[in-house]
């Protein structure tokens, strides 16, 4: 089930999309606009507006030939755009839905799809360490809180801050899997708050990781 959207409805949605695409009166079929019109507000949570997705993807620079990691990309917004730009795209989401596969079909892409929680159980690993990607693009969940066990049980050494702030942990996780550039949407708390947020900003500045 996807945010209240049952498998039977996903199948119905796919059939409807297939029929819509085959309609000779449709000049250009845009899967995301179709999804936005077909899903209600609750089930479309995580569907990034196309303009924002394109803008953030463009900030990633020239992606052709690069590996691109898109955590929390439950609709494959960023991953599909990166793939079209010539990247090897990988998306990761804790929300299990058939929609990324649907996007692959209708956008003729081959995005690698993985269902796992990036913070609790990161899936992209190689020889016991986090897999490294050239570029990461993400609009992670905002203002989430995690259990303190996340810090205590993180054997991948991603989180120097003893915090439950998802805003901080999300950025720390993405940075730990990125070699060149990370494009991340964040809240004002990350930019102005004290505590773990301030520590994160200090580390990014110290390591010259802000462009």
């Amino acid at each position: 089930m996807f945010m209240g959207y049952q498998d039977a409805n996903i199948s119905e949605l796919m059939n409807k999309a297939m029929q819509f695409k085959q309609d000779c009166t449709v000049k250009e079929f845009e899967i995301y606009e179709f999804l936005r019109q077909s899903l209600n507000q609750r089930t479309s949570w995580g569907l990034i507006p196309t303009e924002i997705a394109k803008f953030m993807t463009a900030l990633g620079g020239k992606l052709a030939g690069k590996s691109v990691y898109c955590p929390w990309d439950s609709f494959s917004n960023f991953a599909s755009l990166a793939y079209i730009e010539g990247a090897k795209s990988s998306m990761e989401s804790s929300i299990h839905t058939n929609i990324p596969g649907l996007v692959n079909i209708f956008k003729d892409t081959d995005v690698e799809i993985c269902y796992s929680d990036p913070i609790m159980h990161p899936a992209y690993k190689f020889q016991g360490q986090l897999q490294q990607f050239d570029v990461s693009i993400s609009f992670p969940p905002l203002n989430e809180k995690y259990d303190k066990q996340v810090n205590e049980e993180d054997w991948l050494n991603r989180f120097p801050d003893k915090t439950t702030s998802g805003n901080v942990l999300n950025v720390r996780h993405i940075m730990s899997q990125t070699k060149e550039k990370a494009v991340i949407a964040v809240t004002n708390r990350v930019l102005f708050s004290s505590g773990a947020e301030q520590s994160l900003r200090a580390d990014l500045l110290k390591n010259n990781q802000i462009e």
Side-chain angles (χ1 to χ4, degrees):
M1 183 181 295
F2 168 67
M3 296 293 288
Y5 209 78
Q6 300 179 0
D7 291 340
N9 291 339
I10 290 291
S11 298
E12 180 183 342
L13 181 67
M14 184 170 181
N15 291 333
K16 183 179 178 181
M18 290 288 286
Q19 293 173 4
F20 190 62
K21 186 179 182 182
Q22 292 170 0
D23 187 341
C24 62
T25 63
V26 179
K27 294 182 179 179
E28 183 177 357
F29 178 76
E30 175 47 59
I31 184 63
Y32 289 116
E33 290 306 317
F34 175 79
L35 290 172
R36 190 170 287 107
Q37 294 175 24
S38 301
L39 302 176
N40 61 40
Q41 184 175 3
R42 183 167 180 260
T43 57
S44 64
W45 183 92
L47 180 56
I48 308 300
T50 301
E51 296 78 8
I52 294 177
K54 287 182 176 179
F55 176 69
M56 291 181 63
T57 302
L59 290 177
K62 295 181 179 180
L63 301 178
K66 295 189 175 183
S67 58
V68 177
Y69 175 49
C70 303
W72 296 283
D73 192 14
S74 56
F75 282 86
S76 197
N77 293 89
F78 302 116
S80 63
L81 285 171
Y83 182 92
I84 292 170
E85 292 296 318
K88 182 182 184 300
S89 300
S90 302
M91 60 141 285
E92 183 175 18
S93 174
S94 58
I95 302 175
H96 195 157
T97 166
N98 292 325
I99 287 182
L102 186 69
V103 171
N104 266 344
I105 292 172
F106 285 100
K107 295 189 80 69
D108 194 24
T109 54
D110 189 22
V111 171
E112 182 177 8
I113 301 169
C114 183
Y115 298 109
S116 187
D117 188 308
I119 298 297
M120 302 295 294
H121 305 288
Y124 289 105
K125 297 190 289 292
F126 179 72
Q127 295 182 347
Q129 300 297 320
L130 288 171
Q131 181 179 339
Q132 296 298 295
F133 296 86
D134 297 319
V135 177
S136 293
I137 307 172
S138 182
F139 200 124
L142 305 178
N143 300 324
E144 281 198 339
K145 291 290 184 181
Y146 287 92
D147 191 274
K148 63 180 181 180
Q149 283 184 300
V150 169
N151 294 276
E152 299 170 354
E153 299 176 0
D154 178 45
W155 53 273
L156 294 167
N157 299 315
R158 295 171 293 171
F159 310 129
D161 314 285
K162 302 304 179 184
T163 180
T164 60
S165 169
N167 294 329
V168 173
L169 297 177
N170 294 342
V171 174
R172 293 283 192 189
H173 166 73
I174 293 170
M175 296 302 293
S176 70
Q177 291 208 251
T178 308
K179 293 189 291 185
E180 297 179 10
K181 179 182 288 188
V183 181
I184 312 169
V186 299
T187 67
N188 286 338
R189 293 183 182 181
V190 174
L191 303 178
F192 303 110
S193 294
S194 58
E197 288 81 1
Q198 184 176 20
S199 177
L200 172 62
R201 294 195 303 272
D203 284 348
L204 294 175
L205 288 171
K206 178 182 177 181
N207 296 322
N208 196 28
Q209 292 177 305
I210 297 181
E211 185 175 288

